[in-house]
Amino acid sequence: MTTRLQELEQRRATLLTEGTTILDAAAKRDDKKTTSDEDKRLDAIDKEVIEADTSIGRERRHRDHLRGLIHPAAAADAAGAVALLRANQPRPFATFGDYLVAVAQAAMGSKTGQPPHPGLIEIENFQQKLWAATATGASEGSPADGGFLVQTDFATEVLQGMLAGGEILSRVRRIPMSSNANGIKINAINETSRALGSRWGGIRAYWAAEAASLTASRPKFRRIELELHKLIGLFYATSELLQDASALEAVARNGFTEELRFAVEDAIFQGTGAGQPLGILNAGAIVSQAKETGQAAATVVAQNIMKMVTRIPARNFANAVWYINQEIWPQLVQMYVAIGTGGQLVYMPPTGVSGSPWGTLYGRPVVPIEYAAALGTVGDIVLADMSEYIIIDKGTMDWAASMHVQFLTDEMTYRMTYRIDGQPTLNSVITAYKGTATQAHFVSLATRA
């Protein structure tokens, strides 16, 4: 394992040296430009360095995992040292923009001869101490040669802004992972029916006469397995933007927060589960309410809403939310139930159609989201209890910078890596205690074509 790690680190150093040589040669020319062949080689080098970073991180995790298995007592003793270090983490940068500018200057240091900002060295030294304090490893960052551990409070602000600001992410059940863990296995109740003897997978409570014999019962469990998947965000900053730390901070912070939130929420809603979270639309624990006989294409009618409500377990309804495509708004405000020669509106915003468009259906919030499917297709309206969806994440973000990716356009590239996975708590629909219709924590409306 160590030999492989050394080979990777040596290969990475060789690539960076080659890239620096190409840039130095271009700087000595009259036009200060690289040739097309050199540009292609720089792009290839940058790609190989990124791949090497990934492999190095994986080798380090494997190495330290084995150390923890061989020396578990040492790993346990290190916990106190790690906690003490974390309580005194350095915060050398006043703003996120100052940090990004320092990273850019450090990434270009090999060309300009400028040493890294002292704050980056301070953070890197802290990371090395944290790594040395525990056999199981404390960070997967690669601070050398352009990869830097982001100052903790900045990373936390971006992460919290992403999680708290989303209409989906703010409602899911989140489990942060420790630094040496790449996944989790959870024992969950394997409940597929609410019938007698089936609740909690097999627990049974019953009335019995005095001295009557007892009937054994037990819960049934299943294993939820979540393994962290990597989500990568790229941000390009022009040289002009790098000269204004305040503007850089605003653009980068908002850009990373919004884009990562979009990607994660989209995956939670409709992810395939292959290299990304399993979305509710593709999970086994979703029921599809059939359309009404003769229902016109691309419509939502009152009977759809009424029947969808019956398909979510009563105990989950209090946490449920209606997620809709915005194209459904006009149909909602005109939806009514016929009563004699008149009718009763099904949906009405609190202040009427002239006020805020927010309102409720059956007392549950109606929330428009971009990830909802087009009107008339499965996923255009979903009734969901998102507290029954679990996500795990690393709780941290890894950052790196490169001046080579967009060299010709004079832009610095920032790369942020966030690792996450998720899936519903159930893997199948539930048979109701009374009645024949199946139920689930997530209810969609079948296609109306």
Side-chain angles (χ1 to χ4, degrees):
M1 190 74 69
T2 302
T3 301
R4 169 63 175 164
L5 181 58
Q6 291 175 339
E7 290 176 353
L8 288 169
E9 290 175 337
Q10 180 59 47
R11 175 58 179 164
R12 187 180 190 279
T14 301
L15 288 168
L16 291 172
T17 299
E18 182 184 353
T20 301
T21 301
I22 293 174
L23 292 173
D24 289 343
K28 295 177 182 178
R29 299 181 189 131
D30 293 337
D31 58 2
K32 308 295 182 182
K33 294 181 179 180
T34 54
T35 66
S36 58
D37 289 340
E38 288 173 333
D39 290 336
K40 291 179 181 179
R41 181 54 189 157
L42 286 172
D43 289 340
I45 289 173
D46 201 72
K47 182 179 179 181
E48 289 186 59
V49 169
I50 291 174
E51 293 174 349
D53 284 340
T54 301
S55 299
I56 289 171
R58 182 170 57 251
E59 292 295 321
R60 285 175 175 170
R61 291 195 299 274
H62 291 170
R63 177 195 64 186
D64 293 312
H65 176 65
L66 290 175
R67 286 179 179 174
L69 292 177
I70 297 171
H71 303 291
D77 291 341
V82 171
L84 181 62
L85 281 170
R86 289 191 183 280
N88 296 280
Q89 294 182 51
R91 292 172 172 80
F93 297 99
T95 69
F96 187 45
D98 292 334
Y99 164 79
L100 293 175
V101 171
V103 170
Q105 292 173 344
M108 293 184 289
S110 60
K111 179 180 178 181
T112 63
Q114 181 179 358
H117 188 284
L120 291 178
I121 298 176
E122 185 179 359
I123 293 177
E124 180 177 344
N125 290 338
F126 162 75
Q127 184 184 36
Q128 297 300 332
K129 290 178 182 178
L130 201 59
W131 183 273
T134 172
T136 57
S139 173
E140 296 171 4
S142 178
D145 302 312
F148 299 92
L149 177 70
V150 69
Q151 189 170 310
T152 305
D153 46 356
F154 300 149
T156 300
E157 288 172 8
V158 173
L159 186 59
Q160 289 181 344
M162 182 186 75
L163 296 172
E167 292 292 351
I168 293 178
L169 272 172
S170 61
R171 294 180 168 91
V172 301
R173 194 186 313 174
R174 176 177 173 244
I175 303 176
M177 303 299 296
S178 62
S179 59
N180 61 311
N182 295 308
I184 189 173
K185 295 180 180 179
I186 304 172
N187 286 328
I189 301 300
N190 189 13
E191 184 180 72
T192 59
S193 174
R194 297 294 292 172
L196 294 176
S198 298
R199 291 185 291 272
W200 275 62
I203 289 183
R204 175 76 185 274
Y206 56 92
W207 303 103
E210 183 178 1
S213 61
L214 304 181
T215 302
S217 67
R218 63 177 183 226
K220 185 178 180 181
F221 296 95
R222 72 179 186 90
R223 186 68 61 85
I224 296 178
E225 297 188 15
L226 297 169
E227 182 177 347
L228 292 170
H229 302 299
K230 182 166 59 176
L231 176 64
I232 296 178
L234 292 178
F235 173 76
Y236 302 106
T238 64
S239 59
E240 291 80 7
L241 190 58
L242 286 169
Q243 295 172 15
D244 189 336
S246 297
L248 176 62
E249 173 175 6
V251 175
R253 187 189 299 272
N254 293 337
F256 272 123
T257 300
E258 292 295 330
E259 180 58 23
L260 289 172
R261 179 191 300 146
F262 187 98
V264 172
E265 289 197 330
D266 186 49
I268 292 174
F269 199 74
Q270 57 185 352
T272 63
Q276 60 182 270
L278 176 62
I280 60 177
L281 291 182
N282 293 314
I286 186 170
V287 296
S288 179
Q289 175 57 46
K291 67 177 182 178
E292 295 299 297
T293 302
Q295 182 174 345
T299 60
V300 179
V301 298
Q303 287 75 16
N304 297 150
I305 302 300
M306 297 175 189
K307 291 181 179 179
M308 289 179 70
V309 170
T310 68
R311 305 298 298 278
I312 191 169
R315 63 189 184 281
N316 295 104
F317 186 69
N319 291 324
V321 173
W322 297 94
Y323 291 112
I324 69 167
N325 184 299
Q326 284 182 267
E327 294 178 345
I328 292 179
W329 280 126
Q331 302 202 31
L332 286 184
V333 296
Q334 299 178 72
M335 190 180 293
Y336 71 95
V337 177
I339 303 176
T341 57
Q344 173 66 50
L345 288 174
V346 173
Y347 168 86
M348 177 61 71
T351 56
V353 294
S354 62
S356 173
W358 300 97
T360 62
L361 280 172
Y362 279 80
R364 303 312 307 150
V366 178
V367 179
I369 56 174
E370 293 182 78
Y371 330 110
L375 178 61
T377 58
V378 175
D380 61 346
I381 179 168
V382 176
L383 179 61
D385 176 8
M386 295 308 303
S387 68
E388 297 292 347
Y389 190 97
I390 297 176
I391 67 168
I392 62 170
D393 69 358
K394 205 63 173 176
T396 58
M397 298 179 177
D398 293 333
W399 297 73
S402 172
M403 61 176 290
H404 305 308
V405 178
Q406 295 293 101
F407 178 79
L408 292 181
T409 55
D410 192 22
E411 292 176 298
M412 175 62 62
T413 302
Y414 293 96
R415 184 190 72 200
M416 193 223 67
T417 304
Y418 176 55
R419 298 174 64 200
I420 185 173
D421 193 17
Q423 64 176 261
T425 57
L426 290 181
N427 62 351
S428 65
V429 298
I430 303 171
T431 300
Y433 175 44
K434 301 290 186 180
T436 58
T438 55
Q439 298 179 336
H441 300 144
F442 312 104
V443 183
S444 64
L445 186 58
T447 298
R448 287 128 287 141

